[in-house]
Amino acid sequence: MQRTLYTYIIYITILLCALACPRLRAAETTTPPEDDGIRLSLLTCGPGTEIYSLFGHTALRYEDRRRGIDAVFNYGLFSFDTPNFVLRFTLGETYYQLGATDYKYFLAEYQMTNRDVWQQTLNLSSEEKRRLIALLEENYRPENRVYLYNFFHDNCSTRPRDLVERTVKGRLHYADDMTTTDTGRSFRDIVHQYCKGDPWSQFGIDLCLGSEADRPISRRQMMFAPFYLKDFFATAMLADSTGTRAIPLVSHTEHVVTASPEDKETGLPLPSPMTCALILLAAVAAATWYGVRQGKSLWGIDLVLFLAASLGGCILAFLVLLSKHPAVSPNYLLFVLHPLHLFCLPWMLKKVIRKEKSRYMMANLVVLTLFIVLWALIPQKINLAVLPLALCLLVRSAGNLILSHKQATKQKK
């Protein structure tokens, strides 16, 4: 009886082991599959010296070791040889296109130009990799690769972001709220950040951007700049279908090109826009003082200053009225630089040469005085170098009015 009991115990143990073995084998089959040999990465490139490269660049790298593919998809291709390129760019009708090139050539270009490149490997499943590759191939079709470029809203940085978001189908969760505008940052702030070492580019862009560029923007809008996209991707997570588990969007980050420190220039540095504007103001003020003391109109100064202001105003008015570029309208700089200077210049100079009172000079004096007094209340961040330029026009208007008043008083006597 005792032996029979032991026999039953042995049989039951063997049976339980037999039943457990299939489960163990089944558990082994649920482990992650082998590496499929495909890697998709976000490439972020450092800024260059040209104005169009100051903000860096973004591209997508596609590697397939089994098929020997290593390509870079780049949404930032354009050509200066395009007919009427400057006019089209000013109008906001510049067309960029998606290009594909071998990774080794892409990398060589940035090594040659001494620009950093970071690679962020995307933590995608095999199905998501195939989906992203299909989207890139669809975009690269000749009928799809060209698109209307928009610096703030549709560029080489936003397009890769949108493709990745479409690929993961709602699994992507950023670490921050991407929709609220409580960031305290504006498009102009980010432009200033990247133009910090190039004050003339910053000055030129500031002249063209209107008050819309000073509105607070969301974190999602900030990703028009490649390095903001890189930083937000670095902290983003991919959730599973139940939303209970999450993995990082970026599985690995590598600094594939490290720029070497550039030698400091030994020549004289280029004076800043503010320095040039202050020198001009000092020269105009001294000449005006001399002209008033000597009773001379010095109308040639007015011709140069107001003609330059009118030409600048024509460009600003063109941007405000005709350009499709975002954030260029309204532009309060039109109170200082405007086309009306050009239209009224002949009559104004006629009065100045005769030392007669000019109503245009009087109106200009009032407008510029209000502009300077109310500077802090204007809902637009205006480059400080504009202040000396506005004072140049104001000083000339005041000087001519003083001279005409002295002339009228002299004639009465």
Side-chain angles (χ1 to χ4, degrees):
M1 181 67 180
Q2 187 175 5
R3 184 178 297 175
T4 304
L5 180 60
Y6 288 148
T7 303
Y8 279 125
I9 291 173
I10 292 171
Y11 286 159
I12 292 171
T13 302
I14 293 173
L15 179 61
L16 289 175
C17 289
L19 292 173
C21 285
R23 293 183 182 180
L24 291 173
R25 288 194 294 270
E28 290 174 358
T29 61
T30 61
T31 57
E34 277 188 35
D35 182 11
D36 56 11
I38 297 175
R39 180 167 69 163
L40 287 151
S41 309
L42 185 80
L43 299 177
T44 304
C45 310
T49 56
E50 302 294 337
I51 188 169
Y52 57 82
S53 64
L54 289 176
F55 300 87
H57 186 49
T58 298
L60 286 168
R61 182 183 181 187
Y62 163 36
E63 301 170 80
D64 189 336
R65 293 192 298 274
R66 296 177 181 177
R67 299 172 59 192
I69 296 174
D70 194 354
V72 175
F73 288 85
N74 169 17
Y75 283 93
L77 297 185
F78 68 95
S79 174
F80 285 117
D81 295 330
T82 303
N84 303 313
F85 178 84
V86 175
L87 177 61
R88 286 178 175 273
F89 185 84
T90 306
L91 288 170
E93 296 178 355
T94 308
Y95 286 90
Y96 278 45
Q97 69 177 32
L98 171 63
T101 186
D102 287 341
Y103 174 70
K104 60 181 179 181
Y105 298 129
F106 180 87
L107 203 64
E109 178 184 350
Y110 285 88
Q111 290 171 334
M112 183 177 61
T113 55
N114 195 32
R115 294 169 64 181
D116 291 283
V117 179
W118 287 266
Q119 176 173 283
Q120 292 172 297
T121 302
L122 302 177
N123 208 0
L124 305 177
S125 66
S126 295
E127 180 184 350
E128 288 169 339
K129 291 175 185 178
R130 288 192 294 270
R131 194 181 302 144
L132 181 52
I133 293 167
L135 287 172
L136 286 170
E137 290 175 344
E138 177 67 20
N139 277 194
Y140 191 61
R141 286 177 168 275
E143 65 270 23
N144 297 333
R145 67 179 61 164
V146 178
Y147 71 100
L148 182 61
Y149 177 82
N150 187 306
F151 180 69
F152 288 133
H153 302 294
D154 192 359
N155 64 12
C156 70
S157 181
T158 62
R159 290 229 158 192
R161 176 202 65 192
D162 295 344
L163 282 184
V164 172
E165 290 179 348
R166 286 177 60 190
T167 297
V168 298
K169 293 185 176 180
R171 292 180 59 214
L172 181 59
H173 298 278
Y174 294 101
D176 302 287
D177 187 337
M178 307 303 289
T179 57
T180 60
T181 56
D182 60 352
T183 60
R185 307 295 298 276
S186 66
F187 284 126
R188 194 188 302 272
D189 292 332
I190 296 177
V191 168
H192 283 184
Q193 177 183 346
Y194 288 95
C195 293
K196 191 174 182 180
D198 193 343
W200 282 101
S201 294
Q202 179 177 315
F203 177 69
I205 295 173
D206 272 344
L207 292 183
C208 296
L209 291 179
S211 59
E212 284 294 315
D214 297 306
R215 293 181 179 273
I217 59 174
S218 67
R219 292 173 181 83
R220 182 172 182 78
Q221 290 173 304
M222 290 163 65
M223 287 193 281
F224 84 93
F227 281 92
Y228 280 92
L229 176 63
K230 173 180 176 290
D231 292 342
F232 285 125
F233 265 25
T235 57
M237 304 293 287
L238 290 172
D240 63 10
S241 58
T242 63
T244 57
R245 292 184 302 169
I247 59 173
L249 170 64
V250 175
S251 62
H252 177 67
T253 301
E254 184 181 358
H255 198 170
V256 293
V257 177
T258 302
S260 58
E262 295 182 354
D263 296 332
K264 293 184 178 179
E265 296 182 4
T266 56
L268 293 175
L270 186 69
S272 67
M274 175 59 83
T275 301
C276 294
L278 289 173
I279 292 173
L280 179 62
L281 175 60
V284 169
T288 302
W289 179 82
Y290 170 80
V292 170
R293 289 289 302 270
Q294 298 297 320
K296 297 181 179 180
S297 64
L298 303 179
W299 59 270
I301 298 176
D302 298 319
L303 173 63
V304 173
L305 285 180
F306 283 91
L307 182 61
S310 66
L311 294 177
C314 288
I315 295 173
L316 295 186
F318 180 83
L319 288 172
V320 169
L321 298 175
L322 299 177
S323 178
K324 295 179 182 178
H325 277 298
V328 297
S329 177
N331 192 332
Y332 289 86
L333 279 174
L334 282 169
F335 285 105
V336 179
L337 310 173
H338 53 79
L340 197 59
H341 290 320
L342 181 62
F343 299 140
C344 297
L345 192 59
W347 293 273
M348 181 186 71
L349 287 178
K350 183 179 179 180
K351 292 286 186 180
V352 168
I353 292 172
R354 294 179 177 179
K355 300 178 187 178
E356 297 175 353
K357 184 177 180 180
S358 169
R359 292 181 180 178
Y360 186 81
M361 284 292 193
M362 177 65 74
N364 191 59
L365 178 65
V366 172
V367 171
L368 291 176
T369 300
L370 290 174
F371 180 83
I372 294 170
V373 170
L374 300 176
W375 180 286
L377 301 178
I378 297 174
Q380 178 177 330
K381 290 183 181 178
I382 298 173
N383 195 294
L384 282 176
V386 171
L387 181 58
L389 299 179
L391 285 170
C392 286
L393 299 176
L394 186 148
V395 166
R396 288 306 302 165
S397 296
N400 281 300
L401 289 172
I402 292 172
L403 195 61
S404 64
H405 177 71
K406 290 177 65 176
Q407 181 72 9
T409 302
K410 183 178 178 181
Q411 290 177 349
K412 285 182 181 179
K413 291 181 180 181

